[in-house]
Amino acid sequence: MLQLINDKFKGWVTWIIIIAVSAVFVLTGISYFFVSSGVSAQSVAKVGDVQISQNSYQQALSQNIQVQPSLGQKTLQQKTLDQLVDQTLLQQDAKASHIVVTNSAVSSAIFQNPAFTENGQYSAKRFDELAKLYGSASSIKALIANNILISSIVTPVMQSQFVLSNERKTLSALMGQKREISYYEFAASDYAKKLKPTEKELEAYYDQHKAQYEQLEQAIISYVKLSSQDFVTNEVLSQDDINSYYQANKDALMSPELRSGEVISVKKDAKNRNAIIERLKANQELTPDELKGVNIEAIKPLSPSQASSFTQFALFNLTMELPIKETSDNEFVKLTKITPPAPMALNDAKPVIEKILKNRAALTRFNEVLTSINSNSFDQVVKTNKLKVNVTKAFDKNTMDSGVEGNAKLQEAVFDQHKTQGFIAQGQTDGLIYKVDKIIPKHTLSFVEVKDKIKAAYVDEKSLSLAKEHADQALQTLQKGKTLTAVKAKTEEITRGDFALDSTLKTAIFSYAPKVYQLAQNGQAYWVYEVTKVIDGSDQLPAQVLQNNYTNAELNDYLVALKKQYPIEINHQLIQ
């Protein structure tokens, strides 16, 4: 999803959209419409009465992989599942509290979101463009509505913490504490190598889990993508048309505002480097000696639409009263001149007018072709307008990708409304026409079709079970004071910020007393461990870090309470 946004919106616009839209992901960063409210035969989890579909999980996992590609696959899988479960818990708690998100609240959030503004004003075009990336306008509205709903629970919890100074000192030392552990690891992968399931075992596994291999109803369609830009002509417009438009709209035909500036970078080896930075922040002139410690790159006059970097965009957030801004470490952008908009002469306005008139005519033609399928067959529309037809691969209502098969409106029309042909509008300037070529009924995939998946699922389940079995035996042996000979102990120093460890294991390590053997799962492995040394931490953590820890602790405690209230069932077979 993030890559798709980056491909669509270049330069600083990408970051504005990502930051602004991410702001509404108040807890997990995973959007609401990835969670199904209906019962799914292929759900990875059930939280209370809400099912989380496998497709939802896979889409969320893909998003997390793009955000944190350095994390391991198993770590990301668990992180994704935890996120979806936590968000669903808060969603249900908000609804149980009879909290209602009104349409006006959603509209207000949209109008105030910087992702949907242009030149300081709400832009319907910008909203439509971004909505396309999320499937539809209804999808992105559902996302915002759900996150407003969740924030109604999260925000009061996160703002309720109260921390005394002695508590801060104690927590600082506790959070900085390290623990040395000695552990024996029983990894599922070690047992997987030795497993060679027979055909009979795989068939038995298939029979037990047949419901998980049900294929939803699928469709294959022919379609044509349309854009208003496809209908822009190269015909020369008459001078009368141009003059007429100019006379009617000359008050609105203004040249864009232009801004000039400088990018000032402080050299790493600059003399009095800190003093230079402070003078720049205060917008004070640098002395000749201080100028030797900086590099200055001029930004030539440019309009907002020409800005292609964050520093260039920052120029348009500055004023002559506050003309300088620190854009990154040791780098500043300074506004030096503003050239205000001015009325355009006819000759200067001519290219703009030609573009407006041609785009207006193209949009009219686009709408005519798009909606002509209401009174003509798909084949007739294609033939009359000499359009190029494409054919999809087989897809179902849960298919999610960047192609036409993942279009939510198209899926709704084909699978819910059972339309055999029609058009789908995508914003104001894009759309597609389609016809259904084939419907493949819902059916259970045969053993042969899913044999590879069956084998992988069987091996994963069996190997993890064997790892648990041997870990249990090892724990019993160690608790009796005996030693293990088949497995060698490893030693590791653990911190609370060790993201490579399963959160449950890490919590257990910092919860139990030393010199006592415990068993805990770490991803696709089991650890039998004991804490051998407690290494005290300092009390030097920043105040904001401590405050964040308290905030997270309160929210985690709240989620723990919700988990006792709403039963959670996990289908580990589908998390692969």
Side-chain angles (χ1 to χ4, degrees), residues 98-241:
H98 305 292
I99 297 171
V100 177
V101 178
T102 63
N103 290 333
S104 60
V106 175
S107 297
S108 177
I110 290 172
F111 291 144
Q112 294 175 22
N113 195 316
F116 310 128
T117 60
E118 198 167 12
N119 298 325
Q121 299 292 324
Y122 169 73
S123 169
K125 180 181 179 182
R126 182 67 60 83
F127 177 84
D128 288 342
E129 288 177 335
L130 190 55
K132 280 193 293 183
L133 300 179
Y134 284 85
S136 67
S138 59
S139 293
I140 203 166
K141 287 179 180 179
L143 179 156
I144 294 172
N146 189 68
N147 281 282
I148 293 173
L149 184 70
I150 291 175
S151 67
S152 67
I153 296 293
V154 172
T155 302
V157 172
M158 296 179 73
Q159 292 178 345
S160 64
Q161 73 276 2
F162 177 74
V163 190
L164 298 174
S165 58
N166 62 330
E167 289 179 316
R168 288 181 185 276
K169 186 174 182 179
T170 301
L171 179 63
S172 180
L174 185 61
M175 293 305 298
Q177 185 188 92
K178 300 178 183 179
R179 293 199 170 196
E180 182 183 273
I181 66 167
S182 174
Y183 70 98
Y184 300 88
E185 184 177 31
F186 298 85
S189 58
D190 293 335
Y191 298 92
K193 300 172 185 175
K194 304 173 185 177
L195 288 174
K196 298 187 182 299
T198 64
E199 193 85 356
K200 187 175 181 180
E201 288 173 328
L202 294 179
E203 288 176 350
Y205 186 90
Y206 169 75
D207 290 336
Q208 293 171 4
H209 301 85
K210 192 175 289 186
Q212 297 173 13
Y213 301 100
E214 186 178 74
Q215 175 60 62
L216 298 177
E217 180 184 42
Q218 292 181 301
I220 298 174
I221 70 165
S222 294
Y223 69 97
V224 178
K225 282 188 174 181
L226 298 172
S227 170
S228 64
Q229 290 303 302
D230 297 335
F231 299 94
V232 176
T233 69
N234 293 321
E235 295 179 7
V236 178
L237 297 178
S238 71
Q239 191 63 43
D240 288 342
D241 289 339

Side-chain angles (χ1 to χ4, degrees), residues 198-207 210 213 444-455:
T198 64
E199 193 85 356
K200 187 175 181 180
E201 288 173 328
L202 294 179
E203 288 176 350
Y205 186 90
Y206 169 75
D207 290 336
K210 192 175 289 186
Y213 301 100
T444 300
L445 297 171
S446 68
F447 172 75
V448 173
E449 290 176 293
V450 294
K451 184 177 178 180
D452 289 343
K453 289 185 177 180
I454 293 292
K455 183 177 180 180

Side-chain angles (χ1 to χ4, degrees), residues 340-403:
M344 299 176 73
L346 177 59
N347 285 339
D348 294 331
K350 185 177 179 180
V352 177
I353 295 172
E354 287 182 332
K355 185 175 181 179
I356 291 172
L357 293 178
K358 287 184 177 182
N359 283 341
R360 181 182 293 177
L363 183 60
T364 299
R365 181 61 182 151
F366 159 77
N367 285 320
E368 289 174 352
V369 175
L370 185 70
T371 58
S372 64
I373 200 169
N374 288 336
S375 54
N376 299 278
S377 71
F378 175 86
D379 293 333
Q380 287 174 320
V381 175
V382 167
K383 183 178 180 180
T384 301
N385 297 282
K386 299 178 181 179
L387 302 175
K388 181 180 178 181
V389 178
N390 296 295
V391 179
T392 69
K393 59 187 178 184
F395 66 96
D396 59 45
K397 67 186 303 180
N398 287 334
T399 299
M400 297 281 287
D401 60 28
S402 58

